[in-house]
Amino acid sequence: GEAELRDAAAYWGKKSGEVQDGLEAELGDKRIRVLQTGPAGENLVKFACWVNENDRASGRGGTGCVGGSKKLKAIVVKAEKKIVKAADRDAWKPAHERALATIMAPENITSPRKGGLSVYGTNVLMNITSNMGALPSRNSQLTSFGADAEKISGEYVKEHILVDDPTCHACPVACKKEVEIKEGPWKGLRMESVEYEPAWSVGANCGNNDVATVAKMIDLCNDYGIDAIETGHPISVWMEATEKGWTNGEGGLKWGDIYGMTEAVRKIAMREGIGNILADGANAVAKHFGHPEIAMTVKGQGIPAYDPRGLKGMGIAYATSNRGACHLRAYTPAAELGVMPFGSLKVDPLAWKGKGELTKVFQDVHAFSDSLDLCKFSAFAEGADEYAQQYSAMVGVPFTAADVLKTGERIYNLERYYNNLAGFREGSDYLPKRFTHEPSTMPGSQGHVCELDDMLAEYYKARGWENGVVPEAKLKELEIL
Amino acid sequence: GEAELRDAAAYWGKKSGEVQDGLEAELGDKRIRVLQTGPAGENLVKFACWVNENDRASGRGGTGCVGGSKKLKAIVVKAEKKIVKAADRDAWKPAHERALATIMAPENITSPRKGGLSVYGTNVLMNITSNMGALPSRNSQLTSFGADAEKISGEYVKEHILVDDPTCHACPVACKKEVEIKEGPWKGLRMESVEYEPAWSVGANCGNNDVATVAKMIDLCNDYGIDAIETGHPISVWMEATEKGWTNGEGGLKWGDIYGMTEAVRKIAMREGIGNILADGANAVAKHFGHPEIAMTVKGQGIPAYDPRGLKGMGIAYATSNRGACHLRAYTPAAELGVMPFGSLKVDPLAWKGKGELTKVFQDVHAFSDSLDLCKFSAFAEGADEYAQQYSAMVGVPFTAADVLKTGERIYNLERYYNNLAGFREGSDYLPKRFTHEPSTMPGSQGHVCELDDMLAEYYKARGWENGVVPEAKLKELEIL
């Protein structure tokens, strides 16, 4: 294909919906695909993100901030031919059929109109994690949102505001949940979708039990191009600082203040007033108020929606994720909540033992499947065997489950080696002390902290790393050096 | 349970059927299970084996010879309670259902009354390998049995002599094929079963196209307690020596001499006449006739029914098997013949590249599944994910596909380390020169030799071994030392 650079001055400063509509009109084609930097990225908000087609975000890691610093407003793709065919068409047919069969299987959470992921979307998790004391609430001071969890849950959404179940192209799961707000200050808002992670971030994490405001907050994040998981963090730090009287008269924000929260998103995107501090992320806000310990971050990135005191695997996964706190590098809740393919591998969420080894394996498998640009939810139905078969058929080379693991291990070690060269060395894999020193006070995980040191020792042993650093011998063994 | 040693003088010298019947009568229980040393083991035939329930053999490696040397005639087990229950009953149910579903799936060769393994038994392979130039014939001088393959094939058996499809306990595949000989010298013989490997050994390997004699030979091996795969080897070496005039007037045996062959089995078991030489195995026979190069063995054990000039993976698998030439340590034909689970991983049988790595992975997975005492045929339907799930549920500990591979790798390295300590060091992984230096002359593989050195280099690299020897660092990495 061809590529060209075009002047985007007409779109600078515009929100995602306007940019999408404008580009479709300018190019006279509604089938174009747009990846764009929003106003937040233009203003170098550190957790700005790229937004695809209005409302799907490449959320984490500040991609939009990079876009803004490069003055790159949008990437527009106009496809001229159909998707690439498998190198081995004969092999692709059974590979595809098998993968689809696992996703459709009634045993799996992906099963269309049967599995929880299909029926309620990702937000099926809200009540589950809250009831087990694994839903960080009020900036992780609590491990459950109590009865309020139900009010922002997938079940509640389905009963009260759901209007459609859209799908990504050709996906039978249809986990997206389009909603419409029919009353209150955000009446008339129609958006997709109230996902579990951002619903937690701007919901339980901020003491906000109003599902309409959750939807509004996520929609604002998509409009401005900000990571909706991260956005709750500077806000909840500000809220905790307010609660504790640490704001030094700069003005506070109360838990669940729906107007203050939505206004905060705009201020962040515009770097206006206190928004200029919030826009630098939770670490900066916590430091600004003199209490760096209340930033629930790892390597500068805020945690997602699992409390490592109630889901121990997430603790080691957050700490060792190469891009900072992240649930997607090693989605241990799949095993801890019992939603692995065909009921395999259910492990105790409150046990730390084995979680270091489990995290290594999950990181490796996910590193491979992420590299295929596969939806992470495939992992609720498919395993390394199915991934290997599809990859093998698509590229036309033999590939086994062992190759999947080995390839993933190489990716993960290469990333870590990059981090090591960038200065993340001994001691860089940590958790906020709140998770390791303040025991959970809520049912399900009461009395538990996260045994990070034990899991780290197990994890480093499984990885063959020395306190977070990849030794040269391992790099050579994996043919990275 | 209780164990006791009993005098077996009354059974010494008796064949397997008599021993089984006698023990059932003596103990007044037809449900006893018997593992026995036959007359061949008593006479220290080097490839004598243990026989279970008359006609299922723990065939390879000379187990019966060990039994005979210890004067152990039989082990009788009388079960008093039902099979052990899974440690995690809730986890076992989906694990069991999933495994069974894969075996029943119409895509797989195991599928009851649909898949080739169920319809024809293992001997479905005879025509397939012969047509692709991968069926060693006449002591591996040829790579195909030509039109004669059909006469000893599973298809021929089904059409002419099949009388029943028995199963192992609760198995839906029913790969056993019970036959009855209705005419000729072995008229009245009823036996199970004409399996592919022994049918090849005493069939194509000995230039014998008479399926009734194949059945008779296998039945004799079971009666005397001799490995039916190995038995063809000293005989075919004798036959080749006869053809080439190397027998020095000691008396020869012609290809396909059905009376001479059956008589040879008795002589081997009794170590009578030339049987006393044959009983020491193919290496001894070839050496006796002054041509050690015509023994088709690795580490003293004869190859099974795949010619490594037409199925390259078998070459590296034979060479590196820790117990000598063996198809079961790494059953690469599953991938080379395209009978992997759900059509995954079809590789070119004539390409050597990748076979070293493939063999390592198969050895590791098989080492694990063999340790579970699982039927090898499960591997045509199940992968590491399914094995991990079943093991995890059965023993009640978390276990992943990665753990399966790691455990298998530890087993394989431990075995190899044992071999190294026993003197199998640099250069012990070889093939008979016939496979590496005499090109195939038959269609399908014509002109091909087996590129062993290339595959060995790839294999050792994948294993982290130094020319067949496990280095100390690898032993430590795997926590063997």
Side-chain angles (χ1 to χ4, degrees):
Chain A
E2 286 168 44
E4 62 178 309
L5 283 171
R6 291 200 186 177
D7 183 6
Y11 301 102
W12 201 252
K14 295 226 165 83
K15 294 185 198 167
S16 58
E18 294 171 73
V19 172
Q20 179 85 27
D21 292 346
L23 285 165
E24 286 176 5
E26 180 186 334
L27 297 169
D29 190 343
K30 276 196 151 319
R31 293 166 309 164
I32 57 166
R33 291 290 174 265
V34 179
L35 181 74
Q36 56 172 301
T37 302
E42 296 172 18
N43 295 324
L44 305 183
V45 173
K46 288 200 174 163
F47 45 96
C49 63
W50 279 324
V51 172
N52 308 278
E53 299 160 54
N54 289 354
D55 47 19
R56 309 308 296 180
S58 304
R60 316 221 71 194
T63 50
C65 185
V66 175
S69 77
K70 306 291 183 200
K71 307 289 184 200
L72 177 69
K73 182 61 182 173
I75 298 170
V76 182
V77 176
K78 196 171 169 175
E80 283 173 2
K81 45 183 176 178
K82 291 192 175 176
I83 53 167
V84 68
K85 298 290 182 196
D88 186 340
R89 303 279 290 272
D90 292 338
W92 175 250
K93 193 167 175 288
H96 174 70
E97 282 172 2
R98 182 188 191 187
L100 197 60
T102 65
I103 287 167
M104 307 289 279
E107 295 91 334
N108 292 331
I109 195 174
T110 50
S111 183
R113 292 175 300 282
K114 290 189 189 115
L117 184 63
S118 181
V119 175
Y120 298 110
T122 53
N123 204 6
V124 67
L125 283 173
M126 195 69 75
N127 280 320
I128 295 171
T129 53
S130 187
N131 289 335
M132 64 195 286
L135 185 70
S137 300
R138 299 195 174 211
N139 201 39
S140 304
Q141 293 183 94
L142 302 173
T143 59
S144 168
F145 201 33
D148 285 332
E150 163 64 17
K151 296 181 190 163
I152 57 171
S153 70
E155 292 88 336
Y156 190 92
V157 165
K158 186 173 170 68
E159 197 179 330
H160 293 93
I161 57 174
L162 186 73
V163 289
D164 198 8
D165 303 88
T167 73
C168 295
H169 176 68
C171 177
V173 182
C175 75
K176 294 192 208 178
K177 301 296 155 196
E178 193 168 343
V179 302
E180 188 175 341
I181 306 303
K182 288 152 195 156
E183 54 190 24
W186 326 120
K187 185 178 171 179
L189 170 67
R190 190 173 171 126
M191 59 82 73
E192 69 169 63
S193 89
V194 181
E195 302 287 354
Y196 171 63
E197 310 291 338
W200 158 80
S201 176
V202 300
N205 178 50
C206 291
N208 167 33
N209 68 3
D210 180 51
V211 75
T213 299
V214 166
K216 180 65 180 175
M217 290 286 289
I218 296 170
D219 198 53
L220 285 170
C221 287
N222 290 338
D223 281 352
Y224 288 113
I226 326 181
D227 176 7
I229 302 181
E230 199 68 29
T231 297
H233 277 275
I235 295 176
S236 66
V237 168
W238 185 18
M239 287 170 161
E240 183 175 346
T242 304
E243 175 194 329
K244 297 199 167 151
W246 295 336
T247 53
N248 309 315
E250 284 187 76
L253 185 65
K254 290 197 173 158
W255 298 111
D257 175 346
I258 64 171
Y259 299 105
M261 287 173 68
T262 46
E263 181 60 8
V265 178
R266 194 189 59 78
K267 285 183 174 166
I268 288 170
M270 296 300 140
R271 282 191 172 273
E272 184 185 309
I274 192 161
N276 196 35
I277 293 159
L278 301 177
D280 282 340
N283 278 9
V285 180
K287 196 176 164 199
H288 177 78
F289 292 126
H291 288 273
E293 74 279 5
I294 65 168
M296 297 301 113
T297 60
V298 177
K299 298 183 178 72
Q301 180 162 274
I303 64 157
Y306 310 85
D307 196 299
R309 289 166 290 196
L311 282 159
K312 301 290 170 79
M314 280 279 88
I316 180 70
Y318 291 165
T320 61
S321 160
N322 285 325
R323 68 172 186 181
C326 179
H327 58 301
L328 293 171
R329 302 303 94 188
Y331 193 68
T332 58
E336 294 174 302
L337 301 177
V339 291
M340 290 286 285
F342 300 93
S344 56
L345 196 68
K346 172 89 178 74
V347 299
D348 180 0
L350 292 175
W352 69 261
K353 218 173 164 63
K355 298 291 168 66
E357 290 171 2
L358 188 69
T359 293
K360 182 222 179 246
V361 173
F362 275 34
Q363 285 172 342
D364 291 347
V365 175
H366 292 349
F368 179 82
S369 65
D370 285 346
S371 301
L372 301 190
D373 209 16
L374 269 180
C375 176
K376 182 60 55 70
F377 300 156
S378 63
F380 297 134
E382 303 174 52
D385 274 327
E386 287 86 356
Y387 289 150
Q389 183 173 0
Q390 291 168 80
Y391 178 76
S392 178
M394 191 52 79
V395 301
V397 299
F399 215 76
T400 67
D403 293 322
V404 167
L405 290 163
K406 186 65 169 283
T407 304
E409 187 179 15
R410 295 186 71 228
I411 293 169
Y412 215 81
N413 277 268
L414 179 59
E415 288 179 355
R416 174 55 60 120
Y417 179 49
Y418 178 93
N419 277 4
N420 291 156
L421 293 175
F424 290 93
R425 300 192 63 84
E426 292 81 358
S428 294
D429 298 331
Y430 62 88
L431 281 180
K433 281 207 167 174
R434 180 156 287 171
F435 300 123
T436 53
H437 288 74
E438 296 178 19
S440 161
T441 57
M442 307 293 278
S445 63
Q446 199 165 11
H448 277 266
V449 293
C450 182
E451 296 90 341
L452 179 63
D453 289 345
D454 294 318
M455 290 190 284
L456 266 180
E458 187 185 74
Y459 174 84
Y460 288 148
K461 189 174 171 206
R463 277 259 174 250
W465 291 353
E466 289 158 8
N467 197 11
V469 177
V470 195
E472 195 176 310
K474 174 59 73 176
L475 292 166
K476 284 185 174 159
E477 179 199 320
L478 295 172
E479 299 179 81
I480 290 170
L481 280 193
Chain B
E2 285 168 43
E4 62 177 309
L5 283 170
R6 291 200 187 177
D7 183 6
Y11 301 102
W12 201 252
K14 295 226 165 84
K15 294 184 199 168
S16 58
E18 295 172 73
V19 172
Q20 179 85 26
D21 293 346
L23 285 166
E24 287 176 4
E26 179 185 335
L27 297 168
D29 189 343
K30 275 195 151 321
R31 293 167 308 164
I32 56 167
R33 291 291 173 266
V34 179
L35 181 74
Q36 56 172 302
T37 301
E42 296 172 19
N43 295 325
L44 305 183
V45 173
K46 288 200 175 163
F47 46 95
C49 63
W50 279 324
V51 172
N52 308 278
E53 299 160 55
N54 290 353
D55 47 18
R56 309 309 296 181
S58 304
R60 316 221 72 194
T63 49
C65 186
V66 176
S69 78
K70 306 292 182 201
K71 307 288 185 201
L72 177 69
K73 182 61 182 173
I75 298 171
V76 181
V77 176
K78 196 171 168 175
E80 283 173 1
K81 46 183 175 178
K82 291 191 175 177
I83 53 168
V84 69
K85 298 290 182 196
D88 186 339
R89 302 279 290 272
D90 292 338
W92 175 250
K93 193 167 175 287
H96 175 70
E97 283 171 2
R98 182 189 190 187
L100 197 60
T102 65
I103 287 167
M104 307 289 279
E107 295 91 335
N108 292 331
I109 195 173
T110 50
S111 183
R113 291 175 301 281
K114 291 190 189 113
L117 184 64
S118 181
V119 175
Y120 298 110
T122 54
N123 204 6
V124 66
L125 283 174
M126 194 69 76
N127 280 319
I128 295 171
T129 53
S130 187
N131 289 335
M132 64 195 286
L135 185 70
S137 300
R138 299 196 174 210
N139 202 39
S140 304
Q141 293 183 94
L142 302 173
T143 59
S144 168
F145 202 33
D148 285 332
E150 163 64 18
K151 296 181 189 163
I152 57 171
S153 70
E155 292 87 336
Y156 190 93
V157 165
K158 186 174 170 68
E159 196 178 331
H160 293 93
I161 57 175
L162 186 73
V163 290
D164 198 8
D165 303 88
T167 72
C168 295
H169 176 68
C171 178
V173 182
C175 74
K176 293 192 209 179
K177 300 297 155 196
E178 192 168 344
V179 303
E180 188 175 341
I181 306 303
K182 288 152 194 154
E183 54 189 24
W186 325 121
K187 185 178 171 180
L189 170 67
R190 189 174 171 125
M191 59 82 72
E192 69 168 62
S193 91
V194 182
E195 302 287 353
Y196 171 63
E197 310 291 339
W200 158 80
S201 176
V202 300
N205 178 50
C206 291
N208 167 34
N209 68 4
D210 180 50
V211 75
T213 300
V214 166
K216 180 65 180 174
M217 290 286 288
I218 296 171
D219 198 53
L220 285 170
C221 287
N222 289 338
D223 280 352
Y224 288 113
I226 326 181
D227 176 7
I229 302 181
E230 199 68 28
T231 297
H233 277 274
I235 294 176
S236 66
V237 168
W238 185 19
M239 287 169 160
E240 183 175 345
T242 304
E243 174 194 329
K244 297 198 167 153
W246 295 336
T247 53
N248 309 316
E250 285 187 77
L253 185 65
K254 290 197 172 157
W255 298 111
D257 175 346
I258 65 170
Y259 298 105
M261 287 173 69
T262 46
E263 181 60 8
V265 178
R266 194 189 58 78
K267 284 183 174 166
I268 289 170
M270 296 300 142
R271 281 190 173 273
E272 184 185 308
I274 192 162
N276 196 34
I277 293 159
L278 301 177
D280 282 340
N283 278 10
V285 180
K287 196 176 165 198
H288 176 78
F289 292 126
H291 287 274
E293 74 280 6
I294 65 168
M296 297 300 113
T297 59
V298 178
K299 298 183 178 72
Q301 180 162 274
I303 64 157
Y306 310 85
D307 196 298
R309 289 166 291 196
L311 281 159
K312 302 289 170 80
M314 280 279 88
I316 179 71
Y318 291 165
T320 61
S321 160
N322 284 325
R323 68 172 187 181
C326 179
H327 58 301
L328 293 171
R329 303 303 94 188
Y331 192 68
T332 58
E336 294 174 301
L337 301 176
V339 291
M340 291 285 285
F342 300 93
S344 55
L345 196 68
K346 171 87 178 75
V347 299
D348 181 359
L350 292 175
W352 69 261
K353 219 174 163 62
K355 297 291 167 67
E357 290 171 2
L358 189 69
T359 293
K360 182 223 177 245
V361 173
F362 275 34
Q363 285 172 343
D364 291 347
V365 175
H366 292 349
F368 179 82
S369 64
D370 285 346
S371 301
L372 301 190
D373 209 16
L374 268 180
C375 175
K376 183 60 55 70
F377 300 156
S378 64
F380 297 134
E382 303 174 52
D385 273 328
E386 286 86 357
Y387 289 150
Q389 182 173 0
Q390 291 168 81
Y391 177 75
S392 177
M394 191 51 80
V395 301
V397 298
F399 215 75
T400 68
D403 293 322
V404 167
L405 290 162
K406 186 65 168 283
T407 304
E409 188 179 15
R410 295 186 70 227
I411 293 168
Y412 215 81
N413 277 268
L414 179 59
E415 288 179 356
R416 174 55 60 121
Y417 179 49
Y418 178 93
N419 277 4
N420 291 156
L421 293 176
F424 290 94
R425 300 191 64 83
E426 291 81 359
S428 294
D429 297 332
Y430 62 88
L431 280 181
K433 281 207 167 173
R434 180 156 286 172
F435 300 122
T436 53
H437 289 74
E438 297 178 20
S440 161
T441 57
M442 306 294 277
S445 63
Q446 199 165 11
H448 277 266
V449 293
C450 183
E451 296 90 340
L452 179 63
D453 289 345
D454 294 319
M455 290 190 285
L456 267 181
E458 186 186 74
Y459 174 84
Y460 288 149
K461 190 174 170 205
R463 277 260 175 249
W465 291 353
E466 289 158 8
N467 197 11
V469 177
V470 195
E472 195 176 310
K474 175 58 74 176
L475 292 166
K476 284 185 174 159
E477 178 200 320
L478 295 171
E479 299 180 81
I480 290 170
L481 280 192

